[in-house]
Amino acid sequence: MPDTNEKFGRSSVFYDTFERRGAEEKSTHYCPGCGHGTVQKMIAAAIEEFGIQDRTIFLSPVGCSVFAYYYFDTGNIQCSHGRSPAVATGVRRTLRDAVIIGYQGDGDLAGIGLAEIIHAASRGENYSVFFINNAIYGMTGGQMAPTTLLGQRTLTSPNGRDQFNDGRPIGMAELISVLPAPVYVERCSLSTPKQVLKTRLAVRKALRYQIERKGFSFVEILSPCPTNWGMTPIQARTWVTEHLETVFKLGRLKDYDEDVPVPADPVLHPIDDQQMLTLLTAGGIPTVKTSVEKRPSRSFKIGGFGGQGVLSAGELMAACALSEGYRVSWLPSYGPEMRGGSANASVICSDDPIGSPVVDTPDVLLAMNGPALDAFEHTVAPGGVILVNSSVVNQKTRRTDVSYYAVPATEMAKEAQLISAANVVMVSACLAVTGFLSIQTLRESIPRVLRKKAFLERNLGLVDATITYLQQQEII
Amino acid sequence: MNYVEVHCDECKGCAVCVSSCPHGCLEIGDSLNAKGYPYVRFIKQMRCSACGLCFTVCPEPAALSVYTSKEE
Amino acid sequence: MAYRLMKGNEAAVIGALLGGCTHFFGYPITPASEIAQGAAYWFPLSGRMFMQSESEVSVINMVYGAASAGARAMTASSGPGIALMSEGISYLAGARLPAVIIDMQRSGPGLGNIWPEQSDYNMVVKGGGHGDYRNIVFTPYSGQEMLEMTRDAFEIADTYRMTVFILSDAYIGQMMEQVSIDGPVFHGKRKDWAVYGDAQSRNNLITSIHMNTHLQKEHNDLLQSVYKQVSADLVDYETIDTDDADIVMVAYGICARIGLSAIRVLREQGVKAGLFRPKTVWPFPACAIGDLAARKTKLLVVELSSGMMADDVELAVKGRTEVARFGMVGGVTPKVEELVQAVTDMIRGGRDA
């Protein structure tokens, strides 16, 4: 009629026809009197009102509303059962300006996906969750839900929900509201026109807060399921009032304090490619091959107790070899062994690509304590080297086919007031007696491996002290 | 003149709009639509205030449209 | 030439950054935690996103969300965590979303322990989740390869809209080696199917549910045609001394490293031994192994399981040559001399070394 305006009508946020449902289709797949359609119309109206249709991404759950993407002319992502809040998190961390709509039923949100919704709420993910609570699993045909009322008959509680067998219904709005992060939590209902209008306001508010980047909003909506309740749509609405609303109290449990300024959410600023390469290659070890001819490979085993710097001694050795042009591998003992108790590291240096990184027959053993000598001395290759920390190791090796050296590494480190650096003494002595790598390389490598730069001078001092000791003892 | 337009093929006859109308302007008719549902009919045009409750409670996106007189 | 000395776990993170990964979702588990820890350090430093989730179930769905929104997203875990992710990985496959997942295999079943095994092979290579789907699976055997395979995984995942796995083990992750870091740095491009929350992508839908048997069949046939293409494009392997070999070890990851040492010893002893190292286990290098079988080269499959990859080798061999299985489980790795002995036994005619 030319003299009238359409005041209420189909939202432009819905597709004109629901082609994903079927050609020329205009009605939903929901049963007559279902609450889903009513809520989805409110969401569509709010999206239209705020002018955010292009920005909106609707997350379809599993359940009757799995096909919400038939209707919403927005970006759509269908999620696995219960995981919509995790998907929302992934989307939010990728698209700062998207408007994300979480839409979940009671089995989805309060059952299988309880952990996901609690944690998304607890992180305060900036998105809006609409929780449709109809106290039953709808799509699977009417089984008991976490929110099914005591005594309510369903296919899997045929005698009524029993608190001893089935537990009691979960109040999700209450649960969410006790978390510090959510900014808005309200429970609404579709029972009467008055409640429907209140729900409409809550839907709008939850979306507005998201647009304003205020944080996580949660609107629980008590919704009729006439089909699975075995009622007419009108009876179902009365049942919401008389039963659901007496257990799940309506009202606003939490709201944003408008006096509090909106906190700034972090914005990522990716660095450019050159900055990236500079960042990643920092600490690189310049490699100069010291010989044109192929050099023999060497394998090392370093053993001791956790805290003696066993693993970092190996790393230092590997760093030295790498800078002299060897290929290297370093393999730690790890796991339970690593947390206290014994530790050992295997290091291989070779001009060829290294095969097994496991050192079963080391050319050189560095025993930082007695148990390490006991454990590994019999594995040393004939003609190999055993070097012990004589501050700790009292016994001598039983092997007669190896070169044996003893250095009071712990005492020397203590003297230098750096007890943690006994490993540097051991590595220095090892390189000095074997001549495998130069002491100058060691001096250059220490700063590359050392984590506490303040101790650099004392570490370098220990290299000198070790050389001096070995000369005094006429070992070198 | 206010009125409610019913797109009868989108109506599933749940009657939630009928029970929501404060002025009793709607009723479920006897005939069936293309999908086999009885559908709502707009009666008593003079009483409609175009409040939109029928539209708001209706679960279908396009079953009802509510029109209001143009204000001159 | 400058190298950095780093663990395989760190090399994976560096590879991810070079590969244009912008989102890492993690959950701690030994022996993969260092990947998440590395990402927690490097990602924010370079303006990319790291977050620790509440569970592996959430992790994979966060990856699903970020991938839906067009991001290059990844995670890393070990067997128990990958098992929890399996449903989500099936959804990624169904919705044709690209993702990269690293599995630092440890001993199973159950809690097992944190020592290396290669017993996630069937779970990762054959599916793990429900439905008829595939993952592309790379098997690095060094820190350098860990970096390069992880880097390239993102391009490949985007190209085929599939999940790419880096199937590794605790040794390769824990071992430190020299790794060279070079450009270029890759970046994801805008995807015409992703949901960006803008006008251009408004009509896009990410879903794995289909309306009727006709559409479901069409979709599943499409997946199979992609898998066929991947099989034609991506098979990768390395052969060492196989040309004249009487016997070839087939191994990946840490076993390939031990195998490499073993064939050197065997060659010194005058035994014509070689190493066949799959770099992809799906698609599996069946043709190349078939060629060895056609030449009657004996095969010894070495793996840290009772013989999972060995099944694929036997399928490729089709009974044309002798295949023996050297499986070791429980976190123990074979010693070089044990492999040498096994090969020697097999050459002498002993079966099932």
Side-chain angles (χ1 to χ4, degrees), chain A residues 111-391:
Chain A
I112 194 168
L114 188 64
E116 284 74 14
I117 191 64
I118 292 286
H119 284 276
S122 181
R123 285 189 300 267
E125 297 294 341
N126 181 37
Y127 86 115
S128 319
V129 176
F130 302 109
F131 169 44
I132 310 304
N133 178 2
N134 57 17
I136 205 154
Y137 280 70
M139 193 174 226
T140 45
Q143 296 81 8
M144 187 177 67
T147 52
T148 294
L149 301 186
L150 285 180
Q152 188 181 339
R153 289 171 194 270
T154 70
L155 292 178
T156 48
S157 58
N159 299 316
R161 182 175 189 158
D162 170 56
Q163 67 166 311
F164 298 107
N165 194 57
D166 309 317
R168 301 172 72 95
I170 295 181
M172 282 309 303
E174 286 81 4
L175 207 51
I176 299 290
S177 69
V178 297
L179 297 168
V183 294
Y184 173 50
V185 181
E186 182 158 356
R187 182 183 284 122
C188 307
S189 168
L190 301 180
S191 57
T192 63
K194 186 180 159 198
Q195 295 303 339
V196 169
L197 292 177
K198 277 192 174 176
T199 306
R200 192 170 65 173
L201 291 176
V203 166
R204 202 183 299 172
K205 185 185 266 188
L207 275 179
R208 178 166 64 82
Y209 282 175
Q210 181 183 172
I211 295 163
E212 294 167 356
R213 301 188 203 281
K214 288 196 164 108
F216 181 88
S217 295
F218 185 88
V219 180
E220 175 171 341
I221 300 165
L222 305 181
S223 177
C225 181
T227 300
N228 286 303
W229 294 353
M231 301 177 191
T232 69
I234 305 299
Q235 287 170 334
R237 279 156 178 78
T238 308
W239 197 82
V240 172
T241 309
E242 291 177 355
H243 294 88
L244 280 185
E245 289 178 14
T246 58
V247 175
F248 301 115
K249 302 284 185 215
L250 303 185
R252 196 171 308 156
L253 286 93
K254 195 168 186 183
D255 202 352
Y256 192 80
D257 180 353
E258 295 288 353
D259 294 335
V260 178
V262 180
D265 58 329
V267 181
L268 296 171
H269 298 288
I271 59 176
D272 68 33
D273 293 359
Q274 198 46 55
Q275 288 172 312
M276 176 71 88
L277 287 170
T278 308
L279 184 70
L280 297 181
T281 52
I285 298 174
T287 302
V288 182
K289 212 163 178 183
T290 52
S291 159
V292 282
E293 281 167 36
K294 191 187 268 191
R295 301 164 290 187
S297 302
R298 295 288 180 103
S299 62
F300 301 83
K301 181 73 96 178
I302 303 145
F305 60 79
Q308 279 188 312
V310 169
L311 301 185
S312 47
E315 190 180 344
L316 181 57
M317 193 88 78
C320 291
L322 178 56
S323 65
E324 291 198 8
Y326 285 96
R327 297 167 198 244
V328 297
S329 71
W330 168 99
L331 187 70
S333 59
Y334 74 99
E337 304 165 286
M338 212 167 81
R339 298 173 183 98
S342 66
N344 73 76
S346 301
V347 175
I348 301 175
C349 313
S350 175
D351 278 338
D352 287 322
I354 294 169
S356 173
V358 181
V359 173
D360 294 324
T361 18
D363 298 315
V364 180
L365 168 66
L366 273 60
M368 307 264 305
N369 68 1
L373 183 64
D374 291 339
F376 299 116
E377 68 170 333
H378 68 281
T379 66
V380 177
V385 172
I386 294 179
L387 178 69
V388 301
N389 173 10
S390 56
S391 308

Side-chain angles (χ1 to χ4, degrees), chain C residues 17-180:
Chain C
L17 292 169
L18 295 174
C21 177
T22 54
H23 288 70
F24 190 110
F25 300 95
Y27 188 82
I29 185 169
T30 309
S33 296
E34 282 168 332
I35 303 177
Q37 289 156 214
Y41 175 79
W42 288 106
F43 272 58
L45 205 59
S46 54
R48 303 180 185 203
M49 209 277 331
F50 167 85
M51 82 168 269
Q52 181 172 322
S53 175
E54 63 270 22
S55 71
E56 287 94 344
V57 174
S58 287
V59 159
I60 198 66
N61 283 283
M62 289 174 184
V63 168
Y64 182 100
S68 298
R72 288 191 165 183
M74 76 174 294
T75 187
S77 189
S78 190
I82 303 292
L84 276 172
M85 291 181 196
S86 293
E87 183 205 35
I89 296 167
S90 167
Y91 271 73
L92 288 168
R96 298 191 67 210
L97 290 172
V100 175
I101 303 171
I102 300 176
D103 180 5
M104 280 292 159
Q105 298 175 89
R106 56 187 255 179
S107 308
L111 195 49
N113 214 315
I114 60 177
W115 306 296
E117 256 188 22
Q118 296 176 320
S119 50
D120 292 352
Y121 185 93
N122 282 353
M123 173 169 73
V124 169
V125 177
K126 308 291 180 185
H130 56 287
D132 197 345
Y133 75 95
R134 291 290 187 179
N135 304 307
I136 297 165
V137 187
F138 286 97
T139 50
Y141 94 144
S142 66
Q144 189 69 42
E145 235 176 41
M146 179 72 84
L147 181 148
E148 289 167 9
M149 285 178 172
T150 309
R151 178 194 65 201
D152 298 345
F154 291 92
E155 292 286 316
I156 291 166
D158 276 2
T159 302
Y160 298 99
R161 296 180 61 181
M162 283 179 67
T163 293
V164 178
F165 259 97
I166 307 295
L167 183 64
S168 191
D169 55 71
Y171 266 26
I172 302 295
Q174 292 294 323
M175 178 170 58
M176 226 190 284
E177 293 183 291
Q178 73 284 344
V179 174
S180 82

Side-chain angles (χ1 to χ4, degrees), chain C residues 44 56 79 123-124 151 159 225 240 253 257-258 266 288 294 341-342 353:
Chain C
E56 287 94 344
M123 173 169 73
V124 169
R151 178 194 65 201
T159 302
S225 71
I240 299 167
R257 294 289 291 262
I258 302 169
L266 287 158
Q341 188 62 49

